[in-house]
Every structure is written in structure tokens, then in C-alpha cells.
């Protein structure tokens, strides 16, 4: 008995089920998701706060400020080498910068870079 046609049909059905069960993820460019955010923000953004956990040197926060003027930025960056750059790059932006990491616990941990 030749099982090849049955095997082929089985594999086609399995592939179709996998596509349904695990759809291909879609990646969006920053432009796409900035547009999605813009559609959900009020026109007056002066009271809004952007919290940047792992703010690095402030590049992402700067992109948000450029797109949505009036935001306050609270940036968190625990890396002592990056924190001065964050402060310098966002010196003209309302809000605060913190040389801390965000966590659900208050604790002191060793950070490996």
C-alpha cells in the first residue's frame, strides 16, 4: 500500500493548522507604531508623561518629543556611563531623569554590563 498521498495530505493539513495556530508575526516600523499612538492621544499633549524605562541616552524619548511636543519625560537609566548622556540630551525637556532601574521590588542589585 502506497502511503505517500496520505502523508502529503497529512503534512498539508498540519501546515495549515500551524499557520492558523501560530500566525506569522508582523513587525512594524517606528513610523507605523508612532502613527498608532498618535491616533490615541488627545490633541493637547501638555499634560501627558512619557516614562522611559531603560532610557539609554534619551534617543527614544527625543523621538517622542519631536513627534509629540509638550510631553514630560521621566527617564530611568541605571547605567552610570549612560546617565550623564541622558541628562545632557534631555536637558531642555520637562520631566525628571533617574539613575535607577524599574522593578516591582525595592532592592539593590549588582548590574552586569
Amino acid at each position: 500500500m502506497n502511503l505517500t498521498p496520505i502523508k502529503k495530505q497529512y503534512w498539508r493539513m498540519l501546515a495549515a493548522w500551524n499557520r492558523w495556530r501560530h500566525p506569522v508575526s508582523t513587525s512594524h516600523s517606528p513610523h507605523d507604531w508612532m502613527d498608532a499612538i498618535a491616533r490615541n492621544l488627545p490633541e493637547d499633549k501638555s499634560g501627558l508623561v512619557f516614562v522611559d524605562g531603560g532610557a539609554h541616552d534619551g534617543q527614544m524619548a527625543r523621538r517622542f518629543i519631536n513627534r509629540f511636543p509638550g510631553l514630560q519625560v521621566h527617564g530611568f537609566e541605571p547605567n552610570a556611563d549612560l546617565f550623564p548622556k541622558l541628562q545632557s540630551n534631555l536637558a531642555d525637556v520637562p520631566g525628571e531623569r533617574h539613575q535607577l532601574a524599574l522593578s516591582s521590588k525595592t532592592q539593590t542589585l549588582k548590574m552586569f554590563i
Side-chain angles (χ1 to χ4, degrees):
M1 179 176 188
N2 183 2
L3 295 177
T4 302
I6 295 170
K7 287 180 183 178
K8 286 182 180 180
Q9 181 63 26
Y10 169 78
W11 288 114
R12 275 196 300 272
M13 288 173 33
L14 184 61
W17 183 82
N18 278 328
R19 282 191 303 276
W20 171 80
R21 182 83 171 116
H22 306 286
V24 176
S25 63
T26 303
S27 60
H28 297 283
S29 72
H31 178 75
D32 296 335
W33 51 261
M34 284 274 198
D35 287 345
I37 291 169
R39 287 190 295 273
N40 291 292
L41 290 179
E43 282 188 41
D44 179 17
K45 295 162 189 61
S46 59
L48 296 178
V49 176
F50 177 72
V51 177
D52 194 355
H56 197 67
D57 61 2
Q59 288 181 8
M60 183 60 69
R62 181 57 68 183
R63 289 171 73 179
F64 271 84
I65 288 294
N66 290 341
R67 178 73 191 266
F68 310 113
L71 290 177
Q72 288 185 39
V73 174
H74 290 265
F76 294 82
E77 179 51 58
N79 186 330
D81 293 334
L82 291 172
F83 187 71
K85 293 175 188 172
L86 173 65
Q87 287 181 303
S88 173
N89 290 343
L90 299 181
D92 62 327
V93 176
E96 297 179 20
R97 278 23 108 206
H98 309 275
Q99 191 174 350
L100 300 168
L102 297 175
S103 175
S104 61
K105 301 176 184 176
T106 301
Q107 59 188 336
T108 301
L109 297 172
K110 191 179 288 189
M111 187 169 94
F112 297 94
I113 300 173

